């Protein structure tokens, strides 16, 4: 089974109803985790820590979905070569 890495990150949003960050230089990278369970625990801890800030939000990105070496590249990806 392949490794399923997850990235937990967050920060202050322009609007709590959007996913646009106020300042991308201030994005908080919590870390990269080897499975969803540990990523979820880290996400939950950060979300609870910042619960009083309505504009702060944390996310879990499924890094393993971004690149699968077994899958052929898309035509747009080949343009970069």
């Amino acid at each position: 089974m392949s490794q399923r890495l997850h990235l937990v990150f967050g920060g202050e949003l322009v609007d709590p109803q959007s996913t646009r960050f106020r300042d991308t230089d201030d994005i908080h990278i919590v870390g990269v985790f080897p499975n969803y369970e540990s990523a979820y625990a880290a996400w939950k801890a950060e979300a609870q820590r910042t619960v009083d800030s309505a504009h702060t939000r944390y996310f879990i990105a499924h890094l393993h979905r971004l690149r699968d070496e077994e899958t052929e590249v898309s035509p747009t990806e080949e343009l970069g070569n």
Side-chain angles (χ1 to χ4, degrees), residues 4-19:
R4 297 185 176 266
L5 298 176
H6 296 79
L7 169 67
V8 178
F9 66 100
E12 186 178 359
L13 302 176
V14 173
D15 177 345
Q17 301 299 317
S18 75
T19 56

Side-chain angles (χ1 to χ4, degrees), residues 8-29:
V8 178
F9 66 100
E12 186 178 359
L13 302 176
V14 173
D15 177 345
Q17 301 299 317
S18 75
T19 56
R20 192 166 145 236
F21 289 98
R22 184 172 304 280
D23 182 356
T24 56
D25 289 334
D26 286 337
I27 291 177
H28 175 211
I29 305 295

Side-chain angles (χ1 to χ4, degrees), residues 32-77:
V32 176
F33 300 88
N35 55 54
Y36 183 80
E37 292 76 20
S38 58
Y40 180 81
W43 168 85
K44 187 174 181 180
E46 290 301 324
Q48 289 177 341
R49 184 182 66 77
T50 59
V51 72
D52 291 332
S53 175
H55 282 79
T56 301
R57 189 164 166 204
Y58 281 83
F59 302 89
I60 299 174
H62 301 266
L63 296 179
H64 61 276
R65 293 182 184 166
L66 295 177
R67 181 74 180 180
D68 182 356
E69 296 297 330
E70 302 291 316
T71 306
E72 269 188 59
V73 296
S74 69
T76 55
E77 186 173 356

